[in-house]
Amino acid sequence: MDPSDQKFFTVIDYVIFAVLLAASMGIGLYYALSGGRQRTTQEFLMADRSMGCLPVSLSLIASFQSAVAIIGVPAEIYTHGTQYWFIGCAYILGLLIPAHIFIPVFYRLRVSSAYQYLELRFSKAVRICGTLTFIFQMVIYMGVCVYTPAFALNAVTGFELWGTVLATGLVCTLYTTLGGLKAVIWTDVFQTVVMFAGQLAVIVVGVQKTGGVADVWRKVWEGNRISGLDLNPDPTERHTFWTLGVGGVFLMLSLYGVNQAQVQRYLSSRTEKEAVRSCYMVFPSLQLALALSCVMGLVMFARYCGEDHSDKLASSSRDAMVIYFVMDMLHGLPGLPGLFIACLFSAALSTISSAFNSLATVTMEDLIKPQYPAMTEARATLLSKVLAMSYGLLCLAMAYLTHLMGDSVLQVALKIFGMIGGPILGLFCLGMFFPWANSIGALVGLCAGLVVAFWLGIGSILTRSTRPLPLECSANATIAIQTAFNNITLSQPSGLKRFYSLSYMWYSGFNCTTVILIGLIISFLTGPTKEEDVMPGTLYPLLGKLFCFLPEHLKKKLCCVTPLGQTNLEEQDFFQEPLFRIMICRRLKWDLA
């Protein structure tokens, strides 16, 4: 029987799925009724800065490893081969740079929102523009995250699709609103375990049903799904080592360096050293998550040899093949379908809850508190909870737009981070690394980056063309591949179409560079900022380190050589001193009383 013809959730599957939702709600209720009962914004939004490195690191993984990755990466490997796996190389610099540059700067400034940094470094206008850009990015991305697991549950149970979307969003909104950041982080820990267990179950059963490891390897090798190191420097090639290994670094920095959802977790750590350690601990877990998703895609190919069964689920998307594969593999094994759907929902809930909490934080800290500095703590906490709930409902509306997009969910998600996250990364890099940048340059640079980003993104959608590998699973694949390669070579785009053909993995780097270059040009034209006028602690001496071979007097003229602070992370350094804190309060116009 075709697995798509039967909805096969058993009682055990429903119980497993219900336990996931109940456990997530239970954690939210626990933190709502224990400790300080989320009565202060410090506890609700920052977990009282009391978290250890293990829960923070697992939460960092869960926030990135959404249902989009669990569905999107296997579909990518199934369609295009293992070239995407090279993005694992980007994880190295993509985590080392935040650990040694961004975390120390943010943590020592003792900010609650990453965008408070922008006012300290530039001006209030830059802070507001950065905040609004982040809100726009996350609301759109949440639509993708809510829709993906809802589609999966609809496929395997027959539940009404939009009823499932509503249930996903409401459960997540409730426990985020009740339990604050502590509930979000601890549910992330629980959901990460469920996520890995679900993927592993599908892989083990899939390998067994396909004929064993040797058969899987033979089929994917004959089907040309094992990609070599592609060093083609052409930036329009969708996936090469350079687009993934270098372009991916900028993508990772926009996620793990300056994204409020991740920065908020760093800042919830007990000490700076714990925050840095949590960033290191993310690396092996991210590599494991990537490996599981890629292996799942290979097992899928070994099972179907590139055939497309997505139409049997009333969908033309390649992402639906992953759901079909799961239904096929786990059919007749009570409990396992429930485990995988729980895995998908775990990934989705962790990402969505992180976004809700971070959106409430930036709205409260960057848009509301500066306007109403005399607001009482009780009212501010209540308003933060209302904001978290409001963003939850807004993201449900955005989920409707996701199924209208033609790209895979993975590509849609990464495009969103490249188009909007890239300019935000450029704004922070402009402020942190270039002492001459001023607020006018930052504003014009951000606007220019966003304009170019949307020009490129919309142009790529209107002129979209895909280049999947041939779907043969035999020795004849080599001939088909050569033919396809020749056709591609003869039909290379030119002019503006070539610009639109830029690989989506370069979006972050390209848009980040645009913001920096335009920002510096405008800053020099309008009068560069003098180093002594910059708020202490907001600069990282990157240029001083890069040009360490220059004489000291030249370094002083050419670049910032101001030290970041004490190297002993456990000591109360300059950035913790009362005088510095008063300077920050005055700059942000907080109520010191």
Side-chain angles (χ1 to χ4, degrees), residues 104-173:
V105 171
F106 290 136
Y107 200 92
R108 297 176 194 186
L109 288 173
R110 305 297 286 178
V111 293
S112 297
S113 156
Y115 301 95
Q116 289 175 356
Y117 167 85
L118 295 177
E119 183 171 355
L120 291 172
R121 175 62 180 86
F122 293 117
S123 66
K124 191 173 183 178
V126 178
R127 175 183 179 178
I128 291 172
C129 288
T131 301
L132 292 175
T133 305
F134 169 76
I135 291 172
F136 179 65
Q137 173 194 19
M138 293 306 289
V139 168
I140 295 175
Y141 178 60
M142 285 307 99
V144 182
C145 291
V146 171
Y147 178 82
T148 305
F151 170 75
L153 189 63
N154 168 260
V156 299
T157 65
F159 282 167
E160 183 62 35
L161 180 62
W162 297 108
T164 310
V165 168
L166 192 63
T168 309
L170 289 180
V171 168
C172 192
T173 302

Side-chain angles (χ1 to χ4, degrees), residues 194-251:
V194 175
M195 194 165 59
F196 284 143
Q199 284 184 290
L200 199 57
V202 174
I203 290 170
V204 170
V205 174
V207 169
Q208 184 183 13
K209 287 193 174 183
T210 307
V213 175
D215 269 8
V216 169
W217 177 257
R218 178 180 57 79
K219 289 176 180 178
V220 297
W221 181 262
E222 290 178 354
N224 198 56
R225 281 308 182 270
I226 305 299
S227 304
L229 190 64
D230 185 354
L231 297 176
N232 185 350
D234 185 356
T236 64
E237 282 298 318
R238 186 169 173 272
H239 286 162
T240 66
F241 174 77
W242 306 114
T243 60
L244 294 163
V246 180
V249 170
F250 289 93
L251 176 67

Side-chain angles (χ1 to χ4, degrees), residues 340-396:
F340 183 76
I341 297 302
C343 155
L344 272 186
F345 270 79
S346 292
L349 289 173
S350 60
T351 306
I352 298 162
S353 62
S354 302
F356 291 169
N357 195 266
S358 61
L359 286 168
T361 302
V362 297
T363 306
M364 192 70 210
E365 298 292 336
D366 299 326
L367 302 180
I368 296 175
K369 271 190 176 180
Q371 300 300 321
Y372 302 98
M375 184 184 293
T376 63
E377 190 63 33
R379 180 168 293 183
T381 305
L382 176 63
L383 185 54
S384 296
K385 294 180 179 182
V386 171
L387 285 170
M389 182 171 287
S390 302
Y391 278 120
L393 299 175
L394 178 60
C395 291
L396 292 180

